[in-house]
Amino acid sequence: MAHELHVKVRASETDGLGHVSNISYFIYLEEARIEVFRKLGTSMDMENWPFILASTSCDYVQQAYFDERLLIETTISRIGTSSFEMKHYVSSDRGLLAKGTAVIVHFNFASQKSEPLTEEMKHDLETLIGLETAKEAKR
């Protein structure tokens, strides 16, 4: 099942053109990722944080505006040996506004190297996998 996060656009998240600034989308996607980590039981203790963001992107479909209520749906699209990919869909009552992708690596900060995902991590990630195909078909 996709993870859902609701966000209300603040005035400070808009730019001089009156729409949501491109950087604000990355903040929304980060918030969604953190909530997925929390849902998966990841410790929020930064001393023991097990992941690093390797790549992120966002495709803008249409503009969002101040005071608009956004829904960010997050799924897992791929699980590898030491990394996985998240897909994010940002929408409002007007439809799809943006699509984002993030590649997350299981990382050991002490050794500064990636580590294989544990079987438990893979199992937990699988609860959110495969749903982006259905979502893409609807958009």
Side-chain angles (χ1 to χ4, degrees), residues 41-58:
T42 305
S43 169
M44 294 293 116
D45 177 9
M46 290 295 110
E47 294 293 317
N48 297 308
W49 190 253
F51 300 114
I52 194 166
L53 181 65
S55 174
T56 187
S57 66
C58 186

Side-chain angles (χ1 to χ4, degrees), residues 13-105:
E13 296 164 348
T14 61
D15 61 19
L17 298 173
H19 60 258
V20 171
S21 170
N22 61 331
I23 193 66
S24 294
Y25 286 92
F26 287 95
I27 295 168
Y28 302 152
L29 301 186
E30 177 187 49
E31 185 176 355
R33 281 193 305 275
I34 296 297
E35 291 306 314
V36 167
F37 292 139
R38 188 183 315 277
K39 178 180 181 178
L40 294 173
T42 305
S43 169
M44 294 293 116
D45 177 9
M46 290 295 110
E47 294 293 317
N48 297 308
W49 190 253
F51 300 114
I52 194 166
L53 181 65
S55 174
T56 187
S57 66
C58 186
D59 296 326
Y60 309 103
V61 177
Q62 61 176 312
Q63 298 174 51
Y65 301 96
F66 165 69
D67 206 37
E68 193 163 14
R69 295 186 185 279
L70 308 179
L71 171 63
I72 296 97
E73 296 173 284
T74 302
T75 65
I76 304 299
S77 56
R78 181 190 59 78
I79 301 172
T81 302
S82 61
S83 66
F84 57 96
E85 182 179 78
M86 287 186 178
K87 295 283 188 179
H88 303 283
Y89 301 89
V90 181
S91 59
S92 73
D93 59 358
R94 296 183 297 109
L96 182 66
L97 304 175
K99 297 184 285 188
T101 302
V103 176
I104 313 295
V105 176

Side-chain angles (χ1 to χ4, degrees), residues 51 79-82 106 115-125:
F51 300 114
I79 301 172
T81 302
S82 61
H106 186 223
E115 294 184 338
L117 294 164
T118 66
E119 289 305 314
E120 181 181 0
M121 288 176 179
K122 288 181 179 181
H123 178 268
D124 291 345
L125 290 167

